Amino acid sequence: MDSDSVQSTILIVDDDPAILEYAGEVLQECGYAVLTAPNGASALVLLRNNDRVDLLFTDLVMPGVDGVELARRAGQEVPFTTGYSTDPTPEGRLLKKPYRPRQLAGAIAAALAR
């Protein structure tokens, strides 16, 4: 773990509570500060109220505000990585589910390095 990871805050968004908990635990163990949201609408509120989010890690397929719309609304201020198996989008990096802790940590570190 590098010293930058301790200072980075990751917002994890997933409508599956088990995945939200899993990703949160993995990233906390890696030294990141973690915020979680069960849907895109809640994530937008967190983004508006917290200027300390360094990375958005979101599912793509969610009811209501999906991951692509969430990333669009979040704007260019917060880079994003997504945990969903589909074709890559130009704005972010995709991580195929199910992912292992090492894969998740690597994808987050790479996204933050950009």
Side-chain angles (χ1 to χ4, degrees), residues 2-68:
D2 63 35
S3 60
D4 290 337
S5 65
V6 174
Q7 300 170 353
S8 297
T9 300
I10 313 302
L11 172 54
I12 305 169
V13 187
D14 203 301
D15 60 327
D16 183 329
I19 292 174
L20 200 60
E21 181 179 351
Y22 170 75
E25 287 176 2
V26 168
L27 294 178
Q28 284 177 332
E29 287 176 12
C30 290
Y32 295 106
V34 172
L35 298 171
T36 59
N39 56 55
S42 296
L44 287 169
V45 170
L46 279 172
L47 284 168
R48 282 187 210 114
N49 295 327
N50 189 326
D51 61 353
R52 192 58 193 105
V53 174
D54 299 299
L55 183 74
L56 172 63
F57 179 67
T58 183
D59 190 8
L60 283 181
V61 179
M62 298 182 291
V65 178
D66 65 20
V68 173

Side-chain angles (χ1 to χ4, degrees), residues 57 80-83 88-95 103 106-108 110-111 114:
F57 179 67
F80 82 97
T81 294
T82 182
T89 59
E91 300 88 12
R93 176 181 171 144
L94 295 175
L95 181 62
Q103 292 170 307
I108 294 299
R114 282 191 261 148

